[in-house]
Amino acid sequence: MEFGPAHSSMLDLVDRWQREGTYPLFPLITQAATTRARIGVPHARPGSDDTHGRPVTVFGSADYLGLARHPEVVEGALAATRRFGTGTYGTQAVGGYTRLHQELETAVADWSGRPAALLFPTGMQANLGVLATLAGPRDHVFADRFNHQSITMGVRLSGATLHVFRHNDPAHLAQLLRTAGPPDRSGRRLIVVDGLFSADGDLAPLAEIADLAERHDALLVVDEAHSAGTLGPQGRGAAELCGVLDRVDVVTGTFSKAFASTGGFVCADADVVTLLRHSADAYLLSLGLPPGTVGAALAALSVLAREGTERRRRLQDNARTLRTRLHAAGVGTAGSAAHVVVIPVGTMDRTAHVTRQLAERGLMVCPLFPPAVPIGGARLRLGVCAEHTEEDIGHAAALIAAALAETAPQAGPAGGTPVRGTA
Ligand SMILES: Cc1ncc(COP(=O)(O)O)c(C=O)c1O
């Protein structure tokens, strides 16, 4: 098959990393736990025995509150599977909607403090569904430059005009809101941001953004993927932390992080949810969540109603300790403000090398490459968890500092070949 230059340079990069023994993606998990795992190092060098995997401390997981192996969550998944089987075997509209799906809609709507909720197969589909349905070709969407890629994809599907504002820059957003779009202001306006940025670790200035949304009559959509369950006094996310819960119109999120399961959700007014339920293709054209997944998420929400405050406290204490230990070891964490701790590295090659070296030395982290981050801005993302110990954190900081010190920044081009699937 003939490939164009972009495809060829991607294939060349993968081939080179594999030959050099620095390929950093798809570590093969042979045994999993929240903070410990065994992984087979990807494309291990010839002769090495990685059949059973090597033990690693996990700092690359989004199981932030450590619920993925909580006995009640595991039992929730098992009981749901025993009762309803392994799949749903029909779209939700025509036979794949169980009592458990209905219960989870109610539970997640209650969690968010909104009248209604809808479940999507993934968080990515929730963003696609919301943007492609609520915006249309006559509308204008204002989006932070560093939003999750699924938001940009949703805007493209909608046919709306996309206005990208500089990251966390409400003044630039205000300027675009004043000047963008047709003079008669026809069409709806939507502002959409991540609550906690997945590749930068910083928080959106939601109070200022909510002011602008009100002033310019724009609908405010916040993706709480990384902040749902983890931020705010009741774990309702970045909007709760910033005191603007009632000023956000639509919340999207995922069960695949703090809620120890998988699947996406949207919480909003009843009319918005009814509209999405009957017209969002990303919802209607894909089968619903398997019952076990729904049972796990329901159980996680119920555990969090009891233990959430304490788990959130431990998570944020651990995040602070990790940042402090990294800084003390001379490692920068850019704007990281919570439990998504980001370490700028620079080139793709250096990031691949450091990730691979850490895996071989017993630490699993998540590398981020373009297009998930800007070209030249490859980085490591560490997911702290409520279950990490001080010893885990000290060990991770020391290994990372050593790996970075050993890999001097490379001169030359910043390594611009996009590698997909790393956000
Ligand atoms: C900010 C953000 N939104 C949405 C998603 C997509 O969620 P899901 O994994 O459920 O598709 C992710 C990544 O997982 C994310 O980081």
Side-chain angles (χ1 to χ4, degrees):
M1 185 171 171
E2 286 288 309
F3 292 111
H7 289 155
S8 297
S9 73
M10 153 86 79
L11 292 172
D12 289 348
L13 180 72
V14 170
D15 179 59
R16 180 165 63 77
W17 278 352
Q18 289 175 355
R19 277 188 286 103
E20 289 172 352
T22 54
Y23 184 79
L25 301 172
F26 301 96
L28 183 68
I29 314 291
T30 57
Q31 190 186 313
T34 297
T35 60
R36 304 270 178 277
R38 294 187 80 85
I39 62 167
V41 170
H43 299 277
R45 290 188 179 88
S48 68
D49 178 14
D50 261 319
T51 322
H52 303 294
R54 61 185 71 206
V56 286
T57 305
V58 179
F59 269 84
S61 163
D63 178 20
Y64 297 126
L65 297 173
L67 291 180
R69 273 159 195 78
H70 192 292
E72 287 175 43
V73 176
V74 173
E75 184 48 36
L78 293 175
T81 306
R82 279 193 291 267
R83 185 168 162 208
F84 287 101
T86 51
T88 49
Y89 316 111
T91 62
Q92 293 187 68
V94 294
Y97 181 70
T98 70
R99 183 168 291 279
L100 287 181
H101 291 80
Q102 188 183 45
E103 281 175 23
L104 184 55
E105 283 176 0
T106 306
V108 76
D110 288 351
W111 158 80
S112 80
R114 273 155 227 281
L118 194 65
L119 312 181
F120 282 75
T122 64
M124 174 170 160
Q125 279 170 268
N127 281 337
L128 297 183
V130 162
L131 288 154
T133 307
L134 298 187
R138 293 175 61 244
D139 299 331
H140 293 260
V141 179
F142 300 80
D144 187 288
R145 174 164 176 246
F146 290 167
N147 277 346
H148 192 257
Q149 188 80 0
S150 57
I151 293 173
T152 315
M153 291 164 66
V155 180
R156 285 204 191 112
L157 275 178
S158 75
T161 306
L162 175 62
H163 306 273
V164 176
F165 60 91
R166 288 190 290 269
H167 178 53
N168 275 354
D169 187 343
H172 190 213
L173 170 60
Q175 183 194 333
L176 291 179
L177 282 162
R178 275 195 308 274
T179 56
D184 63 353
R185 291 271 161 91
S186 65
R188 192 201 310 271
R189 300 170 150 230
L190 284 84
I191 300 174
V192 54
V193 290
D194 285 11
L196 172 61
F197 284 89
S198 57
D200 296 83
D202 51 357
L203 290 156
L206 287 178
E208 286 155 279
I209 291 175
D211 286 347
L212 288 170
E214 270 160 28
R215 196 168 316 142
H216 293 272
D217 197 21
L219 203 75
L220 179 54
V221 180
V222 178
D223 178 353
E224 297 272 18
H226 290 267
S227 33
T230 56
L231 293 182
Q234 299 179 74
R236 286 174 164 173
E240 187 188 28
L241 185 71
C242 298
V244 295
L245 258 188
D246 55 347
R247 301 170 72 198
V248 173
D249 299 294
V250 179
V251 172
T252 66
T254 175
F255 297 111
S256 69
K257 304 187 191 299
F259 296 143
S261 186
T262 188
F265 59 81
V266 177
C267 303
D269 282 351
D271 282 354
V272 171
V273 168
T274 301
L275 178 70
L276 292 169
R277 197 186 290 282
H278 294 91
S279 48
D281 288 343
Y283 174 81
L284 288 166
L285 304 183
S286 198
L287 265 67
L289 293 170
T293 302
V294 178
L298 267 170
L301 281 163
S302 127
V303 172
L304 285 182
R306 238 179 27 239
E307 302 177 8
T309 305
E310 172 56 17
R311 284 178 182 268
R312 279 188 288 279
R313 187 193 60 72
R314 290 209 314 263
L315 175 66
Q316 296 311 333
D317 283 354
N318 281 349
R320 252 188 309 277
T321 307
L322 177 62
R323 291 196 303 269
T324 307
R325 297 295 281 267
L326 286 167
H327 296 165
V331 178
T333 59
S336 311
H339 49 282
V340 174
V341 177
V342 172
I343 300 175
V345 180
T347 65
M348 293 175 65
D349 277 354
R350 186 176 181 221
T351 305
H353 189 171
V354 169
T355 305
R356 177 62 180 250
Q357 209 169 56
L358 289 172
E360 291 179 1
R361 293 175 184 178
L363 187 72
M364 194 162 99
V365 299
C366 173
L368 298 180
F369 297 110
V373 295
I375 286 176
R379 61 197 73 176
L380 304 180
R381 178 172 68 198
L382 310 186
V384 199
C385 164
E387 308 288 288
H388 281 127
T389 61
E390 284 228 20
E391 199 187 343
D392 292 333
I393 294 171
H395 179 62
L399 284 176
I400 291 166
L404 286 172
E406 286 164 29
T407 52
Q410 295 156 356
T417 303
V419 174
R420 294 220 158 257
T422 53

